[in-house]
């Protein structure tokens, strides 16, 4: 008889999480999910101001290297910014139970963000410029994932009310000349608890639960 699939766990961090702590948590949780010891997990959090470099990061796109701490993230993508007012969602899913399709995962993450924005009264969309979600010409959410033993980690970041000037220290996601925006800049919802509710409701609609 197949072992029942444990329910996906949602965790909301009450305070900004140091980046090293987040990486350590994800490493341990991914191993536990791959071994069948723990459930899938979505972790909602904020970070202190910092820049992360993905596996395709170009040093020329680090405009101000002395501004904030810089971390090698190990995820796909280029440079990005994390900081207060930005909702980061680390998504640890067992892709063995979800079709072993990385492209489908990334598309699902985009669908999730677009559905979340719609629930908050904002029309988000994909762009030919690259992975992520945009409002008009401006980027409002980024995606960067890594897969280990068919378990995903890292995930998405949604600009709720961060200091958008902090993005000026990098070329965000390698998109030269592309502005960034936020829910606050668009005059939309900035209450993080309400954003989290929209994220959770939309996630369940897009991803559902894996088969047992």
């Amino acid at each position: 008889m197949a072992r029942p699939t444990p329910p996906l766990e949602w965790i909301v961090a009450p305070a900004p999480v140091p980046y090293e702590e987040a990486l350590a948590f994800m490493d341990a949780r991914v191993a536990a999910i791959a071994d069948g010891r723990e459930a899938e997990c979505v972790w909602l959090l904020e970070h202190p101001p910092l820049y992360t470099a993905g596996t395709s990061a170009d040093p020329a796109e680090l405009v101000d290297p002395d501004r904030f701490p810089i971390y090698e993230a190990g995820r796909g993508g280029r440079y990005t910014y994390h900081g207060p007012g930005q909702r980061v969602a680390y998504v640890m899913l067992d892709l063995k139970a979800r079709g072993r399709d990385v492209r489908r995962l990334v598309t699902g993450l985009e669908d999730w963000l677009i559905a979340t924005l719609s629930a908050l009264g904002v029309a988000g969309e994909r762009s030919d410029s690259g992975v992520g979600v945009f409002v008009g010409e401006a980027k409002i959410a980024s995606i960067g994932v890594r897969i280990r033993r068919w378990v995903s980690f890292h995930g998405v970041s949604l600009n709720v009310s961060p200091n958008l000037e902090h993005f000026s220290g990098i070329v965000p996601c390698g998109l030269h000349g592309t502005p960034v925006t936020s829910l606050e800049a668009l005059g939309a919802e900035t209450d993080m608890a309400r954003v989290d509710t929209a994220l959770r409701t939309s996630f369940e609609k897009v991803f559902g639960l894996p088969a047992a």
Side-chain angles (χ1 to χ4, degrees):
M1 181 180 296
R3 180 175 55 191
T5 302
L8 183 145
E9 181 180 11
W10 285 81
I11 302 172
V12 181
V17 178
Y19 198 70
E20 303 97 324
E21 182 179 322
L23 291 178
F25 177 93
M26 287 191 286
D27 282 342
R29 189 60 176 252
V30 165
I33 293 169
D35 291 339
R37 293 182 284 110
E38 292 201 50
E40 298 178 310
C41 178
V42 177
W43 187 17
L44 303 179
L45 58 103
E46 295 172 81
H47 284 304
L50 56 92
Y51 297 130
T52 67
T55 54
S56 301
D58 180 348
E61 294 170 355
L62 182 57
V63 179
D64 188 353
D66 299 320
R67 186 168 194 182
F68 297 126
I70 303 162
Y71 295 93
E72 298 290 334
R75 54 160 175 78
R78 296 165 92 156
Y79 283 107
T80 193
Y81 165 77
H82 294 313
Q86 182 190 70
R87 180 49 96 208
V88 175
Y90 289 134
V91 182
M92 290 153 271
L93 300 181
D94 184 359
L95 300 188
K96 296 189 299 295
R98 295 177 180 270
R100 299 179 188 248
D101 189 334
V102 178
R103 185 181 297 274
R104 179 182 175 189
L105 170 67
V106 173
T107 298
L109 293 173
E110 289 177 332
D111 289 341
W112 175 34
L113 290 165
I114 290 169
T116 298
L117 289 169
S118 179
L120 298 170
V122 174
E125 58 188 3
R126 293 178 174 84
S127 171
D128 293 337
S129 300
V131 173
V133 175
F134 298 74
V135 178
E137 299 298 318
K139 193 166 190 179
I140 194 169
S142 298
I143 296 172
V145 297
R146 185 175 178 182
I147 310 298
R148 180 185 296 156
R149 297 174 62 192
W150 284 110
V151 179
S152 68
F153 58 124
H154 296 279
V156 308
S157 58
L158 173 63
N159 295 333
V160 178
S161 57
N163 184 337
L164 295 179
E165 198 276 330
H166 287 178
F167 285 88
S168 67
I170 57 172
V171 177
C173 303
L175 299 177
H176 293 267
T178 299
V180 290
T181 192
S182 66
L183 292 173
E184 181 180 56
L186 295 169
E189 181 63 72
T190 59
D191 181 88
M192 198 66 81
R194 293 178 181 174
V195 172
D196 288 348
T197 296
L199 282 165
R200 183 163 185 169
T201 300
S202 298
F203 183 93
E204 291 169 355
K205 290 178 180 177
V206 171
F207 285 97
L209 295 174

